[in-house]
Amino acid sequence: MLKCIKTSFNLTNKYIILATPLILFSLLSSLYILFSIGGNTVSMFVVVVLFTLMLAAFLSGWFFMLKIVVTEPEREETNSLMKEFPAGVGEYFLPVIGMIFITFVVSLGLLAASYYAGMKLIGDIGISPDAFSKAMESTSALKTFLTSLTDSQIAKLNAWNLLLFFTMAATYFVVIFYSPAMFFKEKNPFKSYFISLKDLFSRKFPKNLLLFIMLFVSYFVLSLLTTVAGMNIFTHFLFTLLNFYYVVFAAVLVFNYYYENFVRIGGYLDARV
């Protein structure tokens, strides 16, 4: 694991050009969403569809670049990696659309199961959506809202928050190998997802779980630090760059880990599904 982390750091530093598509997509998608908010149901549906297509184009090209970085680590012209982006879009655009859809369905299914379990085990908090929405408008409104709750409601609210946290973690966990399975083994989004689950819950499950916990906890800590540092413009800028670097490193690590443990086994390429 330590060797894989070290290799991934080296690859991230060598191919820092990977951050360019990520930054550009973040900027363009943010502007697109900013100027597209509002309108009727039909226009919002069109906005969601177009954003999904944008996301699919970005992921197909960017993941293809990650695949090349992992499989061709000794490439001399690192900046030439950008030329591979259009090839990835052309080859993986449709499979990635399927991956986005399946990920959405899986996430929705886990959320629904979590809600059902929460209603059975925790129960309704007794707070209307309007009251909760108004509480989020300001810090003072949130304080007033929290002081108005009973001990029983606070206990249930904490339990729901904990349940939501673990549901989010479980969702990330069951899709952690989805993209590398698609780009290394099988383009079909349905088959690649089942392959990713097979590899995830294989005999290397403890090692896979350790990788996920490391990534999840480190990003959670980084998010907290970014929130605290957001009050200062300079530190906010630095932590924004650090977040981009971390996302690139995490993606390289997952692809590199999957390649080393489930594709290149004993020096041979394993394409079995």
Side-chain angles (χ1 to χ4, degrees), residues 23-268:
I23 294 173
L24 290 176
F25 174 75
S26 299
L27 177 62
L28 293 175
S29 60
S30 298
L31 291 175
Y32 173 74
I33 293 174
L34 180 65
F35 289 107
S36 301
I37 293 177
N40 54 34
T41 304
V42 176
S43 63
M44 289 304 299
F45 175 77
V46 173
V47 168
V48 171
V49 170
L50 291 178
F51 178 78
T52 302
L53 295 177
M54 289 171 55
L55 179 62
F58 163 70
L59 292 178
S60 55
W62 198 54
F63 286 158
F64 187 70
M65 292 171 66
L66 286 168
K67 175 183 177 180
I68 293 175
V69 165
V70 170
T71 55
E72 303 175 19
E74 302 303 325
R75 174 185 286 238
E76 294 183 2
E77 294 292 333
T78 57
N79 290 333
S80 67
L81 188 64
M82 284 296 296
K83 297 179 182 178
E84 307 292 347
F85 188 92
V89 176
E91 186 175 353
Y92 286 95
F93 181 71
L94 291 179
V96 168
I97 289 180
M99 181 180 73
I100 293 173
F101 174 74
I102 292 173
T103 302
F104 174 75
V105 171
V106 170
S107 303
L108 197 62
L110 287 175
L111 186 61
S114 176
Y115 175 78
Y116 179 80
M119 291 300 292
K120 288 291 184 180
L121 300 176
I122 302 173
D124 185 32
I125 304 176
I127 303 172
S128 67
D130 290 338
F132 191 77
S133 172
K134 290 179 181 179
M136 295 294 105
E137 292 178 356
S138 64
T139 305
S140 58
L142 181 60
K143 290 181 179 179
T144 304
F145 171 75
L146 292 176
T147 54
S148 67
L149 298 178
T150 64
D151 291 340
S152 175
Q153 286 178 315
I154 292 177
K156 287 184 177 181
L157 182 61
N158 290 333
W160 273 104
N161 287 333
L162 191 62
L163 178 62
L164 182 62
F165 175 82
F166 281 108
T167 302
M168 180 179 65
T171 303
Y172 290 150
F173 183 63
V174 296
V175 298
I176 188 172
F177 291 152
Y178 195 177
S179 51
M182 173 176 288
F183 281 76
F184 284 122
K185 288 188 174 182
E186 174 60 58
K187 290 182 183 179
N188 184 294
F190 294 97
K191 291 182 180 180
S192 58
Y193 183 61
F194 285 109
I195 292 169
S196 71
L197 290 179
K198 184 199 73 172
D199 292 334
L200 180 64
F201 293 101
S202 65
R203 56 192 176 91
K204 293 186 178 182
F205 175 78
K207 191 176 178 181
N208 299 337
L209 182 61
L210 179 62
L211 172 71
F212 173 76
I213 292 174
M214 184 195 72
L215 288 172
F216 191 80
V217 171
S218 58
Y219 187 71
F220 182 75
V221 172
L222 180 60
S223 299
L224 289 179
L225 293 176
T226 303
T227 302
V228 173
M231 299 179 182
N232 182 286
I233 297 178
F234 180 72
T235 55
H236 178 73
F237 176 74
L238 288 180
F239 272 92
T240 300
L241 293 180
L242 183 60
N243 271 276
F244 280 119
Y245 179 86
Y246 181 86
V247 171
V248 174
F249 163 71
V252 171
L253 176 59
V254 171
F255 268 69
N256 189 35
Y257 175 88
Y258 189 85
Y259 182 70
E260 293 292 336
N261 288 274
F262 300 103
V263 181
R264 192 179 69 177
I265 303 173
Y268 295 95

